[in-house]
Amino acid sequence: MLYLFYHYFHINLFQYITVRAGISFFTGFILTLYLMPRYIRWAQKRRANQPIYKYAPEAHQAKSTTPTMGGIVFLTSTLIASLVTIRFDNFYAMGAILTIVLFALIGLKDDLSKIRGGKNEAGLTSRGKLLLQIFAGVIISGYLCYGDFSTDLYIPFYKYPLFSMGYFAIVFWVFVFVATSNAVNLTDGLDGLATVPSIFSIMSLSVFVYIMGHAILSNYLLVPNIKGVGEVTIVATALVGSLIGFLWYNCHPAEIFMGDSGSLSLGGFIAYMAIITKNEILLILIGFVFVMETVSVILQVGSYKTRKKRVFRMAPIHHHFELKGWAENKIIVRFWIMALMSNLLALITLKIR
């Protein structure tokens, strides 16, 4: 919308992605700060509380009265801030909006089922959630292919593509969408634990998005120049601003949880940004905390099924540290530190090619 002021009224300020990104950031932040306390009061009256998983550590039962689905609020703020600032004719920005909406709808269905059923197990089955995630991944991957998006596969530290994936790219991208959305969902188990690593991941990927959309910077840093992709920076900054506003209420002790509507959408958006910046492999480092949480679950389940022994006291791994006696705040902050360090390392790869 703001871009129209440049197009029709020749206000040059609004042609710049950096200016509109700054506006989207503060719009998302302020909207979330305004809407969240009102949503919390409404959710408390409606008893839209977070059902606690029956096998979670005992201390978590005290959180059963905490409202959930806060993701709907910060995602709404993100969408409003984005639609005010992006160019509607930009293919990649509209794909980002599509990604947020599709994965938010899956999470919303899961959250509502849990609330109505009064227990965590009343949500979508693992199979049902997986099928919906695959469906969303296919739609977005198909959208990218329809727009003639390159299917070349890149790896960190190497400036040339390894090969073109062709139609196999759809299968690979769907895997990235499913894996990332589930990884963020698994991490969302302590107050603010998934929020800050998501902010770091989105900020790192925003740097890649902006550089790859900039002809001069992309040429200087030897990364692919993808025309138009820089506009996604605006959606990303809107989401970061909204997440910071959400963190105001989600930090320990949390007044609100994001729910699956938030975590699945965050994971889907992070996957989308990784795909359009050719960073599907580097995402392992960018989302290191999410990968660590997911691997801990895989190891735990695999070990128990094959050896009848557990690797951790409980999985995901943040529960393991809880049962070891670590304070919740200590676990959260240490995971935040790991997320920050891994993202700084990921950004270093920009120059080493």
Side-chain angles (χ1 to χ4, degrees), residues 12 39 48 66 78 86 122 125 151 216 236 292 313 336 338 342:
N12 291 333
Y39 172 76
T66 305
T78 299
I86 62 170
T125 63
T151 60
I216 297 174
M292 180 176 65
R313 295 186 181 186
W336 288 356
M338 285 190 285
S342 64

Side-chain angles (χ1 to χ4, degrees), residues 9 64 75 98 114 118 121 164 170 198 204 206 230 251 302 338-339:
F9 302 108
S64 61
L75 291 176
L98 176 65
K114 290 176 183 177
E121 295 76 13
S164 174
I170 294 179
S198 294
S204 294
S206 296
C251 60
M338 285 190 285

